[in-house]
Amino acid sequence: MEQSFIMIKPDGVQRGLVGEIISRFEKKGFSLRGLKLMSVDRAFAENHYSDLAGKPFFNGLIEYIISGPVVAMIWEGKNVVATGRKIIGATKPVDSDVGTIRGDFAIDVGRNIIHGSDSVESARKEIALWFPEGPVYWQSSLHSWIYE
Ligand code: IDP
Ligand code: MG
């Protein structure tokens, strides 16, 4: 089954949105396979965002991600990568639809609350980086009520 790496950024933690965000993924029917509150250092954040090195906002982005604890998660389910991006909403909150996490709770792109993997391949890399211990495996007893 497909997995995605989802991270609540420091602003989401500070603003008390952890429960709300987890709830949206849970209610959709996805399964939680990893969850931890952690602070990351500059080298770790730069590694996570290495594909954006050289962007004018890169340094500000790194400062933002290391400014406080984040909630790192693995969510699993059919099409969770693409659907997770829909639940999160467009990168710039001005373009994010109402009903998405960014559309409902964010205003500025540099304070957009949450990260989600943009492809199955990035999810694999990000999960390996953030969860070297690997996902937690369990079988939800709701499986047959969510999948036909
Ligand atoms: P994504 O988070 O929707 O995948 P990316 O393009 O991968 O968007 O950018 C990573 C993060 O970098 C964004 O979520 C946002 O926090 C930040 N970012 C992207 N573009 C800008 C910008 O133009 N100004 C400031 N921050 C930006
Ligand atoms: Mg991205």
Side-chain angles (χ1 to χ4, degrees):
M1 192 71 100
E2 189 171 296
Q3 296 180 335
S4 187
F5 172 68
I6 304 291
M7 182 219 349
I8 306 173
K9 296 175 177 179
D11 49 340
V13 175
Q14 289 283 358
R15 291 180 54 196
L17 294 170
V18 172
E20 168 77 32
I21 289 170
I22 289 176
S23 188
R24 289 185 179 209
F25 282 84
E26 273 186 325
K27 286 177 184 165
K28 174 69 177 173
F30 293 133
S31 281
L32 188 61
R33 300 292 188 194
L35 172 70
K36 55 190 177 185
L37 178 72
M38 56 193 285
S39 294
V40 298
D41 64 17
R42 185 175 301 275
F44 190 97
E46 286 177 355
N47 189 0
H48 171 75
Y49 279 121
S50 56
D51 56 324
L52 297 175
K55 296 275 185 197
F57 57 84
F58 185 71
N59 287 340
L61 172 60
I62 300 305
E63 292 295 337
Y64 165 42
I65 296 304
I66 68 175
S67 66
V70 300
V71 175
M73 296 178 281
I74 302 169
W75 285 94
E76 185 176 281
K78 192 190 283 183
N79 299 319
V80 65
V81 170
T83 304
R85 296 278 294 187
K86 286 187 197 165
I87 291 171
I88 288 170
T91 302
K92 294 184 173 142
V94 70
D95 299 327
S96 319
D97 291 334
V98 169
T100 66
I101 292 167
R102 288 168 173 165
D104 288 350
F105 303 120
I107 293 175
D108 268 350
V109 65
R111 296 290 183 272
N112 65 356
I113 297 211
I114 182 165
H115 165 86
S117 306
D118 62 7
S119 67
V120 172
E121 178 55 19
S122 343
R124 196 191 53 73
K125 282 190 203 153
E126 292 170 358
I127 289 168
L129 175 67
W130 289 81
F131 288 90
E133 69 277 26
V136 175
Y137 284 101
W138 59 287
Q139 177 71 57
S140 166
S141 60
L142 292 178
H143 195 274
S144 63
W145 298 106
I146 292 168
Y147 297 98
E148 62 180 11

